[in-house]
Amino acid sequence: EVIEQMMMGEDIIGKTILEPSAGSGNIVDWLKKNGAGEVIACENDPTLLKILRGKCDILTEDFLTVTSEQVSHIDYIVMNPPFSQDARHILHAFDIAPAGCTIIALCNSSSVNPGYRDTKEEQRLQETIDLYGQSDYLGECFSSAERRTNVHVAMVKLYKPGEGASEFDGYFFS
């Protein structure tokens, strides 16, 4: 249900998507089942990585080491990062995403609630959301999940400005 809500209104048919905190691959499975062209992932837990290798290509184990050059061809980043580092992961995704990429992420709702904790990363995340996207409160959507948590969850959607490599096609410069 949460993945359905995350992806509502998004056209992923034939798109290349990165799942940077893939776990056992629930988001990967959903994306492939619903028409994604290619799904690549990162996961640093060795046990989960073994499960994931049979589902998609692995870019690297540690998402925070991924560079913009490695993901210059992707259309979406869809993620459920560790809630203890959610702002850091979402900001890294936005920083490395190519022009025209959409980032869809779950996070602890306090990370996008101005005035709650207000670390520098959370302040920067809120500024990025204000400029390039939106956040929606989802509530305790994982209270009955496979890996349960009572964390209040928010969803962030960010849209990287630009249209990618063809942004200036058709323009003539003298």
Side-chain angles (χ1 to χ4, degrees):
E1 292 175 13
V2 176
I3 301 169
E4 292 278 342
Q5 194 168 0
M6 291 171 72
M7 301 311 297
M8 187 180 303
E10 301 296 333
D11 177 15
I12 64 163
I13 305 298
K15 303 289 180 54
T16 301
I17 304 173
L18 170 64
E19 210 296 35
S21 309
S24 63
N26 292 334
I27 292 175
V28 170
D29 292 341
W30 190 96
L31 294 169
K32 291 177 76 173
K33 179 182 172 189
N34 287 277
E38 179 185 10
V39 180
I40 54 178
C42 303
E43 177 52 52
N44 61 10
D45 180 283
T47 303
L48 297 174
L49 189 59
K50 287 178 185 175
I51 295 168
L52 199 57
R53 285 194 192 280
K55 297 182 177 192
C56 66
D57 291 331
I58 306 301
L59 182 60
T60 185
E61 292 177 16
D62 184 2
F63 169 64
L64 295 175
T65 66
V66 174
T67 65
S68 55
E69 291 79 19
Q70 291 175 289
V71 295
S72 62
H73 64 293
I74 64 168
D75 301 296
Y76 281 87
I77 299 174
V78 180
M79 61 196 298
N80 180 15
F83 287 161
S84 62
Q85 297 182 27
D86 52 11
R88 184 175 182 205
H89 281 245
I90 296 167
L91 289 168
H92 183 67
F94 189 78
D95 289 344
I96 65 169
C101 185
T102 299
I103 297 106
I104 304 171
L106 298 178
C107 65
N108 186 323
S109 65
S110 66
S111 296
V112 294
N113 185 1
Y116 184 75
R117 288 191 303 212
D118 279 344
T119 66
K120 287 184 180 189
E121 281 180 334
E122 288 168 342
Q123 288 174 357
R124 184 171 162 235
L125 177 59
Q126 189 59 54
E127 291 168 3
T128 304
I129 293 167
D130 290 344
L131 290 170
Y132 303 107
Q134 66 189 49
S135 65
D136 296 305
Y137 179 73
L138 303 181
E140 291 184 31
C141 56
F142 292 122
S143 59
S144 61
E146 177 183 315
R147 292 176 57 194
R148 294 179 184 172
T149 179
N150 292 325
V151 171
H152 291 256
V153 177
M155 175 180 59
V156 172
K157 286 194 178 188
L158 299 171
Y159 307 96
K160 189 78 176 248
E163 298 177 18
S166 62
E167 183 174 4
F168 296 105
D169 282 357
Y171 286 89
F172 296 95
F173 298 97
S174 56

